[in-house]
Amino acid sequence: MTLRKLHGTSALIIAVYACVHIANHLVGLGGIEAHIAFMRAARLVYRFPGLEVLLLSAIAFQIYSGLTLVIRGWKQRQGFIPWLQAGAGAYLVFFFFIHVSAVLLGRTVLHLDTNFYFAAAGFHVPPFQFFFAPYYFLGVLGLFTHLGCALYWRLQARSRPARILAVALPSSVGFVVSLLIVLSLAGAFYPVQVPPEYKATYGWHP
Ligand code: HEM
């Protein structure tokens, strides 16, 4: 199997988790309690030791393989879709590395429950919102766009407009989903009172 095929296989594992994870954040549009209740139930599955090791190994492999593919194809890459795919992929390498390291550190070193408040804290301690808003927004948008580009290559036999739609549609959905999640974390839909222990990780004190 080539590295590219393995990258696609590992992406399937991550995509299954991403569906649950993004659904979790969308449930959060209905309130913090709903977000936390959904996560508590979903954790029974994705934190099951064997499955979590599989997921985290897939993420580690995706970072390695994604970076290798971006660098390896640098000189040959031509055209908008190949560069969009590589750009979104390169951002996902950065995002996965920071995001998963932060979650694991939060749990093991800071002994925090990495729930809604963990994700929202950065939005409520200035000036960290200027990092977290684009960081999360591009993470979700990058995922949808990157998957749309993968679909584009799978539809070689289809017309050009159908293939463009295969990228444009997921990217547009990703844009809206991303915006909604970021706005809910920032407190645009309901008041968000982040407990002090979460804000303290950003140097905040009462
Ligand atoms: C706005 C966007 C996002 C936010 C706010 C967010 C937030 C979180 C939070 C709070 C956790 C901890 C979950 C728990 O303790 O059970 C987490 C874990 C994780 N997230 Fe995200 N996430 C976002 C986007 C993504 C995306 C696009 C991916 C790509 C698949 C992703 C992958 C992961 C992974 C792999 C974990 C670790 C799961 C585990 O082993 O516990 N996240 N995220």
Side-chain angles (χ1 to χ4, degrees):
M1 268 225 252
T2 62
L3 188 68
R4 191 177 294 278
K5 278 204 172 137
L6 288 171
H7 185 77
T9 308
S10 148
L12 289 178
I13 300 171
I14 298 171
V16 171
Y17 172 76
C19 287
V20 176
H21 196 44
I22 288 170
N24 194 160
H25 293 306
L26 289 176
V27 164
L29 299 179
I32 299 173
E33 280 315 310
H35 185 286
I36 290 179
F38 186 104
M39 185 172 271
R40 206 170 282 143
R43 276 177 181 168
L44 296 175
V45 181
Y46 67 75
R47 280 205 183 173
F48 184 76
L51 288 183
E52 188 166 30
V53 168
L54 180 71
L55 173 64
L56 295 179
S57 308
I59 292 277
F61 178 73
Q62 215 63 6
I63 292 175
Y64 157 76
S65 56
L67 204 55
T68 308
L69 289 169
V70 167
I71 294 170
R72 210 164 67 180
W74 196 266
K75 293 220 170 103
Q76 298 95 299
R77 196 169 291 118
Q78 276 176 350
F80 180 70
I81 300 290
W83 277 109
L84 182 66
Q85 186 172 20
Y91 183 76
L92 286 174
V93 166
F94 162 80
F95 178 77
F96 281 160
F97 184 74
I98 306 270
H99 184 54
V100 177
S101 309
V103 167
L104 294 180
L105 275 176
R107 254 160 80 179
T108 55
V109 178
L110 303 174
H111 304 292
L112 290 169
D113 180 354
T114 48
N115 58 18
F116 179 93
Y117 293 117
F118 182 79
F123 286 85
H124 299 273
V125 184
F128 291 100
Q129 72 273 31
F130 296 113
F131 170 77
F132 281 102
Y135 160 78
Y136 278 131
F137 180 79
L138 291 175
V140 178
L141 177 61
L143 186 74
F144 277 79
T145 303
H146 196 64
L147 290 174
C149 291
L151 195 59
Y152 175 89
W153 297 116
R154 289 187 171 268
L155 297 179
Q156 305 262 10
R158 298 297 174 95
S159 65
R160 176 99 175 131
R163 297 177 76 198
I164 298 288
L165 195 65
V167 182
L169 199 62
S171 304
S172 311
V173 171
F175 184 92
V176 174
V177 166
S178 253
L179 194 63
L180 289 173
I181 295 174
V182 166
L183 288 174
S184 74
L185 293 169
F189 302 134
Y190 41 76
V192 175
Q193 292 295 336
V194 178
E197 64 271 26
Y198 291 95
K199 288 168 108 179
T201 58
Y202 296 97
W204 178 90
H205 51 83

